[in-house]
Amino acid sequence: MLKRLGELWKNIIYPPRCPGCGSSVAVHGEWCSPCAAKLFHFRMLNGSRKRLGLDGCYALADYDGAVRRAVSRLKYHGKLHYGDAFFYMLECFPWPERLTACDVIVPVPLYPAKEKKRGFNQNDIIFKPWAESHGLVWMPALQRVRPTASQWSLQKAERQENIKRAFACQHSFGRMAEHILLVDDIYTTGVTMQTCAAILKRKGAQTVTGLVIASSAP
């Protein structure tokens, strides 16, 4: 009851607006129908199934327009309310059973000094509330053990070298955690996801499926 009243007052004081165009919507985080039709692009990314480790990666949208702005505002400007917009997108995923069949969800981590400076890992804001709402196990099993440059700023040939030996995993996976959903905000060339997936498989994971908010890949 108290939660309902809190939401009611929130809606009165801060009326819900579409994250894309600012038009009136029913609940916080909801994208209006025109924006959703234009921006959402649910798909398995071509080329995301690699022998290195990743068993495919799903994306919710193209990394463009309003979705790109929302990711940037959350990550670099601390606009945490955009987490509601990404929660809404995750709830709209058309094949939910492909995601919720996982044993655990593992986020791609930030380097500790970078996370301390930013104040949060965007993947916690984007994915953890959704995981908890579905009763899924959130397991930050990966660690970033050295700082790296942003992958999007590098040439293709530099990206593999940039990410080399950047991640570690102290956890070993057994029968209770054979199927992992690996989550990150964006997918560029897939080098980060592939590297993390390979580490998780060396630690006992049987399958590692990726999930990202957005990608420029087809």
Side-chain angles (χ1 to χ4, degrees):
M1 175 64 89
L2 288 176
K3 185 177 180 180
R4 272 188 185 176
L5 287 173
E7 286 295 321
L8 180 61
W9 278 111
K10 181 181 177 181
N11 289 348
I12 292 171
I13 299 170
Y14 303 106
R17 301 287 181 184
C18 171
C21 68
S23 63
S24 180
V25 291
V27 296
H28 288 281
E30 180 182 359
W31 298 75
C32 70
S33 295
C35 281
K38 182 167 58 176
L39 299 171
F40 293 2
H41 184 192
F42 302 107
R43 65 203 187 277
M44 170 70 77
L45 296 171
N46 293 337
S48 63
R49 293 186 178 93
K50 304 281 187 180
R51 63 180 178 83
L52 183 62
L54 195 62
D55 298 292
C57 182
Y58 292 103
L60 307 184
D62 294 326
Y63 189 50
D64 195 12
V67 170
R68 183 169 186 161
R69 289 194 296 272
V71 171
S72 177
R73 287 168 181 168
L74 189 155
K75 288 172 68 172
Y76 304 121
H77 302 284
K79 305 295 185 182
L80 302 187
H81 65 275
Y82 279 101
D84 291 338
F86 300 128
F87 184 95
Y88 181 86
M89 292 175 70
L90 287 161
E91 288 293 279
C92 290
F93 188 74
W95 314 290
E97 69 284 352
R98 300 184 190 180
L99 306 180
T100 57
C102 68
D103 296 316
V104 297
I105 297 181
V106 175
V108 172
L110 290 178
Y111 186 62
K114 187 173 185 178
E115 182 170 347
K116 183 177 181 180
K117 181 179 180 181
R118 184 175 291 176
F120 58 91
N121 179 346
Q122 68 276 4
N123 291 326
D124 293 344
I125 306 300
I126 293 170
F127 295 101
K128 192 174 181 180
W130 171 79
E132 292 177 341
S133 75
H134 289 274
L136 302 173
V137 178
W138 183 262
M139 183 182 291
L142 289 166
Q143 299 85 42
R144 197 179 288 247
V145 294
R146 69 172 181 82
T148 56
S150 296
Q151 289 288 82
W152 63 265
S153 66
L154 302 176
Q155 298 297 318
K156 185 176 181 180
E158 299 173 316
R159 289 171 177 166
Q160 189 69 56
E161 188 63 30
N162 179 54
I163 215 74
K164 190 181 293 183
R165 295 182 295 278
F167 297 97
C169 180
Q170 302 301 320
H171 187 90
S172 293
F173 300 97
R175 292 182 180 178
M176 299 302 292
E178 292 181 340
H179 306 292
I180 292 175
L181 185 66
L182 178 67
V183 297
D184 203 4
D185 57 339
I186 60 173
Y187 180 112
T188 49
T189 62
V191 171
T192 298
M193 297 287 278
Q194 294 290 351
T195 301
C196 290
I199 292 171
L200 294 171
K201 284 196 170 178
R202 287 200 295 271
K203 287 293 186 174
Q206 295 300 305
T207 65
V208 181
T209 302
L211 174 65
V212 298
I213 291 297
S215 177
S216 299

